[in-house]
Amino acid sequence: MTRAAVPGLPSRYPIGALLPALYADDDLAQRFTAGLDTVLAPILSTLDNLPAYFDPALTPEDFLPWLSSWVDAGIDPSWPVALRRAAVARAVELHRWRGTRRGLTEHLRLCFGVEADIQDGGGAVWSSEAGGELPPAPTGELLVRVRPPAGRTVDAARVLTVVRASCPAHLTCRVEILPGAPADETGA
């Protein structure tokens, strides 16, 4: 991220105009303050537009990775800009659901535009009745079946990387890529 002098960017607050009348006609003072205006104009412009820097939809593209680090969005630099912006915008919401089926499903939908069926191999259950049946033995595997939209393919290795980042430490994870959805199911 670099913010530097922008050629031709005028200062909204030229220093020369703020000087006492004694210096209004002083050529040296006006040239000196014009040089300061050139240096300060990008800084003042950034401060004037500061709210836009914190909005993922408006922030400059080179500021997006830093904004992403604030919310731990984990964006991939190879993603299109629109996807990186969407990931940053939804990061806090997705963190609320991290570690759940819903969270992983939404994360995969955001990153790859796919529908996912998740089979959790954990063994945690509860019952409102005392002496209820015990859960089946846990498989110890998280199985994620991904169905891309019709006519699209998905890189299984990239999906597995996202799944592993969300998978609980006590489970192994596996990804299956299913054939794309039929055209009538996607509305195409």
Side-chain angles (χ1 to χ4, degrees), residues 41-141:
I43 296 168
L44 295 174
S45 175
T46 299
L47 292 174
D48 287 345
N49 297 299
L50 196 58
Y53 280 83
F54 303 123
D55 183 345
L58 301 175
T59 193
E61 188 177 335
D62 65 336
F63 194 77
L64 200 54
W66 194 40
L67 190 58
S68 166
S69 72
W70 291 5
V71 292
D72 194 28
I75 60 174
D76 185 341
S78 67
W79 291 349
V81 175
L83 178 57
R84 286 184 278 158
R85 291 182 187 281
V88 172
R90 292 199 55 208
V92 173
E93 174 195 352
L94 291 175
H95 284 311
R96 285 188 202 121
W97 295 104
R98 187 176 176 99
T100 66
R101 284 183 180 157
R102 177 180 176 180
L104 183 54
T105 301
E106 291 294 322
H107 194 73
L108 291 171
R109 184 177 294 128
L110 173 68
C111 293
F112 303 105
V114 299
E115 293 301 320
D117 176 41
I118 300 169
Q119 303 298 317
D120 186 359
V125 296
W126 68 276
S127 174
S128 59
E129 298 176 19
E133 290 187 36
L134 292 175
T139 63
E141 177 182 67

